[in-house]
Amino acid sequence: MAEKVTLVGGGLAGSLMSIYLAKRGYEVYIYERRADMRSGKYEGGRSINLALSTRGLRGLAKVGLDQDVLDISIPMTGRMMHSVDGALKYQPYGKEGQAIYSVSRGQLNVKLLQLADQYPNIHMFFNCKCVATNLETCETTYINEHGETIVDKADVVLGTDGAFSALRDAMQRTSRFNFSQTYENYGYKELEIVPNANGDFQLDKNCLHIWPRKSFMMIALPNPGGNFTCTLFMPFDGNPGIDQLKTAEEITAFFQLHFPDAMAMMPGLVDDYLNNPTGVLATMRCYPWVRGNNALMGDSAHAVVPFYGQGMNCSFEDCIVLDECIEELGGDWNSVLDAYQKLRKPNADAIANLALQNFVEMRDLVGSDEFLYKKKIEHTLSEKYPDLFVSQYERVTFSTRDYAEALAYGELNDRVLEAIIQNKWEEKLDDRAFVETLFADHQS
Amino acid sequence: MAEKVTLVGGGLAGSLMSIYLAKRGYEVYIYERRADMRSGKYEGGRSINLALSTRGLRGLAKVGLDQDVLDISIPMTGRMMHSVDGALKYQPYGKEGQAIYSVSRGQLNVKLLQLADQYPNIHMFFNCKCVATNLETCETTYINEHGETIVDKADVVLGTDGAFSALRDAMQRTSRFNFSQTYENYGYKELEIVPNANGDFQLDKNCLHIWPRKSFMMIALPNPGGNFTCTLFMPFDGNPGIDQLKTAEEITAFFQLHFPDAMAMMPGLVDDYLNNPTGVLATMRCYPWVRGNNALMGDSAHAVVPFYGQGMNCSFEDCIVLDECIEELGGDWNSVLDAYQKLRKPNADAIANLALQNFVEMRDLVGSDEFLYKKKIEHTLSEKYPDLFVSQYERVTFSTRDYAEALAYGELNDRVLEAIIQNKWEEKLDDRAFVETLFADHQS
């Protein structure tokens, strides 16, 4: 009989991993806390839009879904910064032809579930809340919408149940399990820029729009319907704090002052602000990710803040790496899971740090001319010497090499760029030998 | 009717705090998971001996117990380092007359419970395991030894339930609660050096004995019975690792090689090693410590590694500070608990870091001549200029000023000592003006 793998959670990582496992012939059981998203009753999870990039697309390509998903996505080739006076500045993310893709979390999840449903060896159960786990026996217990208790016994249990994972919770109670949850002093509100009267986009649809305001910011991602999903990130205890804007007057006065151009396109602003919940931002780290035949994947192992747009991309990469470990090490689950956690942990730590750094960049630095000038030189180097210089953003977003490597190279790049600007070497950048020496000289 | 305060846990912090509260007229309920220690069935908690110092004594003095506890303690005036060849080196902890006190955790706890029992407004319940908490209503639920469920409703709930606190566990599930648990790659074994045939101590009883071996170490603290409680700290995955010594031959060979002098006085070594559990070492940090009228104290708020001997001392200081906040802010629990957490959090973080640093000092540095030379100069400065120079150890151990201050001054001291040694200024130390300038010059 085929080995049975149970996935606690049928979100993005769980549904993709189920297909990888099904293709290898395992019996796969998925228990999802929420209702079946295909029924149209999709409850928003952490955010409405995601930015799909190279790593995520690679994960989808392994099951032939990449083009299907690109078809429901909108490419964003760079950032568009909005100053208070309405002036716009554009900064490309990568080279000509490179983009990240705005996609609806719900629609992407539905695509994955639809594909999973075509495998007779994938068994999906919705409205099943995990209420107990036994790390010794690989038994997991659920309560469904009828109040019935389901006990599942598997050969392997994968925790794809997100930042508040029940499986990780059980691991936290085992000895020598390192764990941290760290919240930012920032909350977020999802808001909306509507289409114009003709149903068209009111801003350039091929950009990720940013309103950097130093201690807070708003961003907007395009949706196929002509609207943008906006997200305001603001401190809890700022002045004003995100939860301290309580009346229509306070909200409109605040937006009028800081985001006048956007506000004109946000007719539902006050209602959205008052009715939408305030989201929170946390980084969660743990290790080990494996106890016996139980392993954590995606946000359950490494919830990150959303500022590098890599949460889903990193989770899909977890799935790829676990699948590769299965391929290489066959049915020896001890070796498979251990290899998986050792390969992924340094990269999860790296993207967690990168995401925290990028928050400062997005809300503060992108608003300054010095920063944009540095980015311009970076872009020049990247276009001129693609073999020598790859920006940190490109390494993270348009590559499938390790996040840990991207973090390390980013520091080298920064030293080189500082040297160029300080010494006014911009006109020497046509000289390849000079640039080569520059990089060699700035190795740590 | 008097307000009711419930303490989840009747260990050291819980029993001391109960007396402070009773003296202020509150109705105090204590629910303790373990049996009543006064019945003699004391189950060892984290360790058998504790090192009581100035902060802890101050906590006891507030309820008049300091002399009673000193009477059952043994003063230790310094460290005695044992090299492999049996050579001894002594380093005093502080000035003439200063000492830390080896005391049995169980006996100290019994003294506190006996005193608590004299207050009619303290109600103690043993064998009561906390199984649920409600942070909104201050209801806590217990199961006792008969399997009965007890629901307690209080005005205020204090979590004095240790490193694996049930109350903190409930707080971890609330939003924006920061938490981390970090385990060292070290385990420990409690062992014993027995008295000689006459019942006398076989080593100097007024020292804390250390066998520093760089990556591992053993320590020994005196007990009134003439024996020493030894603790071996060793990596889990070292060579050999603490759990990899599995036979009498392996254990005796290891001790013969590294601790030959001690081994001669440890007739029960093999049995103890094989039968005693391997302890683990963790640092736990969290914030906030307060949700509504629920607050964490002692190890539940800040479990630290034991290498500065400050776990209990710090917990008693929590009790003192909370009591002072009650005194100052009266019955306004919101203000009381918030003031308490803000005063204590930086100090809990500082002692956690100091304890981690001291592990390196104890197992590695104290074995080197350079380190002992530095300590000698430190001692000279401390004796000659008590108003100018107070060592970090003295600030932590023989003072009641903030741990955070001790951490900061320790860094200044280090810079000064490095300068003296590097520049060979030892002979100038009689010149007060020179020493004053030295300190002024090395302020960060």
Side-chain angles (χ1 to χ4, degrees), chain A residues 169 172-186 236 280, chain B residues 169 172-186 236 280:
Chain A
D169 210 59
Q172 195 193 312
R173 276 144 233 287
T174 62
S175 190
R176 298 175 64 207
F177 184 80
N178 291 326
F179 171 69
S180 73
Q181 59 184 41
T182 309
Y183 285 83
E184 298 305 301
N185 178 31
Y186 273 80
F236 280 103
V280 296
Chain B
D169 210 59
Q172 196 194 312
R173 276 144 234 286
T174 62
S175 190
R176 298 175 64 207
F177 184 79
N178 290 327
F179 171 69
S180 73
Q181 58 183 40
T182 309
Y183 285 82
E184 299 304 301
N185 178 31
Y186 274 79
F236 280 103
V280 297

Side-chain angles (χ1 to χ4, degrees), chain B residues 347-408:
Chain B
N347 292 308
D349 283 342
I351 192 60
N353 290 339
L354 286 161
L356 288 166
Q357 289 171 14
N358 223 39
F359 187 25
V360 182
E361 178 165 326
M362 289 176 79
R363 71 168 196 257
D364 186 355
L365 305 183
V366 295
S368 82
D369 289 338
E370 293 76 13
F371 177 82
L372 292 176
Y373 183 67
K374 190 169 132 188
K375 283 282 162 187
K376 204 176 131 196
I377 295 175
E378 191 177 89
H379 193 66
T380 306
L381 285 172
S382 170
E383 292 276 2
K384 223 184 271 278
Y385 308 108
D387 57 322
L388 270 185
F389 183 90
V390 184
S391 74
Q392 186 178 76
Y393 192 89
E394 289 176 276
R395 287 179 190 274
V396 169
T397 307
F398 303 123
S399 145
T400 57
R401 294 186 59 90
D402 282 0
Y403 286 127
E405 188 183 282
L407 184 60

Side-chain angles (χ1 to χ4, degrees), chain B residues 41 43 61 78 90 99 107 115 120 138 181 204 218 265 302 354 381 403 405 428:
Chain B
K41 289 189 295 183
E43 303 165 41
Y90 175 76
Q107 282 183 36
L115 181 57
C138 288
Q181 58 183 40
D204 185 335
M218 187 165 73
M265 302 175 273
H302 49 70
L354 286 161
L381 285 172
Y403 286 127
E405 188 183 282
K428 300 193 183 183

